[in-house]
Amino acid sequence: MDSKEIGSGSSGADLLREIERLRAEKEELESRIHLLEAQIKPRGAAEDKSGSCSLSSLSCSQMNGATISCLSPEMIHRYSRHLLLPDFGVEGQLKLSKSSILVVGAGGLGSPVAMYLVACGVGCLGIVDSDIVELNNLHRQIIHTEAYAGQSKVKSAASSCHAINSSVKLVEHREALQAVNALDIVSKYDIVVDATDNLPSRYMISDCCVLLDKPLVSGAALGLEGQLTVYNYNGGPCYRCLFPTPPPSAACQRCSDSGVLGVVPGVIGCLQALEAIKVASAVKIRGRSPACLICGENAAFTREIFQSFDYENFTQSPMSDKSSEKLNLIPESSRITAIPKSMNIPLSNLEDKLSTIHSALKQAAQDSGKCASLFVVCRRGNDSQRAVDYLSKNGFPLAKDISSEKLNLIPESSRITGKEYNEIVNTGEPHVLVDVRPVHHFKIAAIPKSMNIPLSNLEDKLSTIHSALKQAAQDSGKCASLFVVCRRGNDSQRAVDYLSKNGFPLAKDIVGGLQSWSQDVDHTFPSY
Amino acid sequence: MTEEPKDTCDVIGSQKTNPSRDKDLAPYIKIKVLFFARARDLTGSTELCLEMPDGSTARDCMNKLLIEFPNLREIYNSMVLALNEEYAPESTILRNKDELAIIPPISGG
Ligand SMILES: [Zn+2]
């Protein structure tokens, strides 16, 4: 490969173009390597291109150097430590190498599942996922690397798997597994691993495995906890035997809302890989429920019913954060009560309704003769943040999220912007900055010299604030001001409201919190 | 993940309210209850000890817990019980020092 010297005078745009060109070249080379490799491998030659995972070409007679054991010398060398295990041995390895496993989800659980199954020598591994790699996935989704940020998770996972063990057949399904395509995809595999992150997918995958009689290795992880179950295997139960009724959506938080310690899905995923290997190499488990609607004695669940079953509606929760349009969850709750003159655009429809928002803003501007602002509200402030994030990247950079119940909690005079606060810092004006976020948030990042008093403790810490103000005033010989900041500017308003009624009438909050601070003032300040 | 084993835990039962009852006349058993995932959020504890009349079932235990923690109803229809680390139906009769785990599904990944 010819290398090109990149001069120090190159502009950023030149470098980006060069990176693009090299990436394209690398992809082209990789695909050529794949092709050539397929020609060398005896089993690769007969491979079909339909994305199926039939391993008929792996039969012993076609194996190179077939011995009684039916393992090639390469395989014996590679998997020698498996073969040394009395309970696994050649038989276990052979069965594993003839099995095909589908991993649904290439995230925190799917990462170790896919990596271990491939490393251990599964015959064929299918990976299904429609997501793209994001940097905030990488703390737990260890199959992905920074270089793949913004690219398909399936592509990234397949590339890692190929790098680990190029003799395993990999099938990439770059789509979401849904009732409409699940039968088709799942039927091509022997075993299914549920490594998804949501409830509707779990019911859908379990039902599908019952219909197709596939064993299902299911894992889940959240926070510091995980669950592992093998369903529909050796007369064992299905997901609905255990959980016939979906829990209310409040009871099933997502990692994106509640957080997860990176290692936890890693541990569960490793256990899933282990169970999948046990099933594949046929190395036991509670009886199914006779009353189960899906796998029970009187079950009348057909493929047709499966394909038209609305799992999101059944579980009252979305299959993905970028949820599908048909989902009717948000409108229902917003019908209960709404702020006058607010317009209802469910988060799931936001993408299609940008023009509606645009027209509404135009109308508001025309009516008033002034530029109109855009605010977003939801029930608890999570979805509105997602919406603002999306809007800000799609033509509405000034959209702001508000917390539903406290619209205009404190007067404008009690607020300053991040830029104004920055001025105060730069001019050395004496002040105290109180950060009212929870302690564990404060530890992530904080404005220098701010003092952390979580909103929940504010009542007990008034004297601390008092002393700090007094100290600042003594040091400077001038009166010191009091400012309050939080993550997004809601709690700081509540704090200022409380402070103003409890001896600190001049307290001010920083509009938009640290999020605005990071956007408007200190771009190096981490947003989280 | 498992918590560190504790010798003592909060006791909910009739002993507090009726310390003088005669144990021979009304035999009681002690059940250790473990709360996982959402159940822990709703009750605010990881485990507690429950005093139940001899012959009580897992369902009796649940009924007592639902009185103590009414918001457990949120997951009551979608959880499984494990008795001494094995799934068990609500009709199972409990014995002294049994460990009953309340396990709601989690869905993250
Ligand atoms: Zn079932």
Side-chain angles (χ1 to χ4, degrees), chain A residues 358-519:
Chain A
H358 203 79
S359 317
L361 280 172
K362 219 164 142 186
Q363 188 63 47
Q366 267 180 9
D367 293 351
S368 63
K370 285 192 281 186
C371 199
S373 315
L374 175 59
F375 297 100
V376 182
V377 70
C378 70
R379 186 171 167 211
R380 291 213 169 86
N382 289 328
D383 280 350
S384 57
Q385 284 164 29
R386 294 194 185 103
V388 165
D389 183 51
Y390 179 80
L391 288 168
S392 67
K393 291 167 183 159
N394 288 279
F396 301 92
L398 301 175
K400 284 225 154 63
D401 161 41
I402 53 175
S403 144
S404 57
E405 69 255 54
K406 313 275 165 137
L407 201 52
N408 273 317
L409 191 56
I410 53 174
E412 279 302 313
S413 57
S414 295
R415 317 197 68 183
I416 65 167
T417 65
K419 281 182 178 158
E420 285 163 349
Y421 175 72
N422 194 36
E423 277 302 301
I424 286 164
V425 174
N426 290 340
T427 54
E429 206 179 298
H431 70 276
V432 169
L433 176 62
V434 174
D435 186 327
V436 291
R437 292 173 299 157
V439 175
H440 66 286
H441 282 236
F442 186 76
K443 285 179 180 165
I444 299 171
I447 293 179
K449 292 190 190 165
S450 58
M451 62 191 286
N452 182 217
I453 301 178
L455 184 58
S456 53
N457 296 350
L458 190 57
E459 207 175 325
D460 301 332
K461 296 287 185 179
L462 294 181
S463 62
T464 313
I465 298 175
H466 203 79
S467 320
L469 281 171
K470 219 163 140 183
Q471 187 64 48
Q474 267 179 12
D475 293 350
S476 63
K478 283 192 281 185
C479 200
S481 327
L482 175 59
F483 300 106
V484 182
V485 71
C486 68
R487 186 178 177 196
R488 293 205 166 91
N490 291 329
D491 279 351
S492 59
Q493 288 190 60
R494 296 190 182 103
V496 165
D497 185 48
Y498 178 80
L499 289 169
S500 68
K501 291 166 185 160
N502 289 277
F504 300 91
L506 301 176
K508 291 186 178 184
D509 99 301
I510 297 180
V511 179
L514 293 168
Q515 207 166 52
S516 300
W517 177 258
S518 122
Q519 271 165 20

Side-chain angles (χ1 to χ4, degrees), chain A residues 191-207:
Chain A
I191 300 165
V192 178
V193 177
D194 182 346
T196 60
D197 63 355
N198 65 84
L199 204 57
S201 291
R202 292 184 185 280
Y203 278 99
M204 186 269 292
I205 292 166
S206 172
D207 290 357

